[in-house]
Amino acid sequence: LFLISERGESMDKRISYAEIIASVMLFGSGLLTLVRGVFWIFENRESVQDFPLYAALNHAMPIWAWGVMFAVSGLMVIGASWQMPRRTTGKSFGWFLLVGGLGSSVAYFIIAIAGFDSASNWMTPAQYITLSGMNGFLAFLGGVRVWAAKDTY
C-alpha cells in the first residue's frame, strides 16, 4: 500500500511521503485513544481501585462510559487516517477528524482538569493537556475541511 521511491515519493502516486507520515501519526493517535477506552471498558473496576485519577473520573461518570467515549473517538481518528488518500474527493475524512478530534479533545481536557488534584505528579495532567490540544487542532482541521465542502452536500 505504501511503497516509497528513492526520492521519498509514493510509487503509486496516491499519497506522498509526508501524507504517509501524517496518516501514521493519525493512526497512532487514534490507537492510543482507542486502547485507553478499551482498557476502561473492560478493566473498569480494577482501574478505579488502583488509580486515584480514575476514581475521581468515576465520580463524574462511570469509567466504562469514559471508555466508550474514548473508544469511539479513537476509532473516528483511525478512520480519518484510512481516509487520507481519498480526502480530496470524499467527505468522510473531514467528518472523522472533526468528530473524533472533538470527542478526544474534550475527554482529554476533562481528565487533565481532574488530574490536577488526583494525579501522582504534574506529568499526567501535562500529557492530557497536550493530547487535548493536539486533538482539538485535529477537530479544527476537520471542521475547516467540512466547511470548505459544505456546498457539495
Side-chain angles (χ1 to χ4, degrees), residues 90-102:
K91 299 171 188 164
S92 57
F93 175 75
W95 282 107
F96 279 140
L97 269 185
L98 176 61
V99 174
L102 185 62

Side-chain angles (χ1 to χ4, degrees), residues 117-137:
D117 286 336
S118 52
S120 57
N121 57 43
W122 62 268
M123 188 64 180
T124 301
Q127 287 176 337
Y128 290 137
I129 287 172
T130 302
L131 289 167
S132 176
M134 180 184 71
N135 282 289
F137 193 66

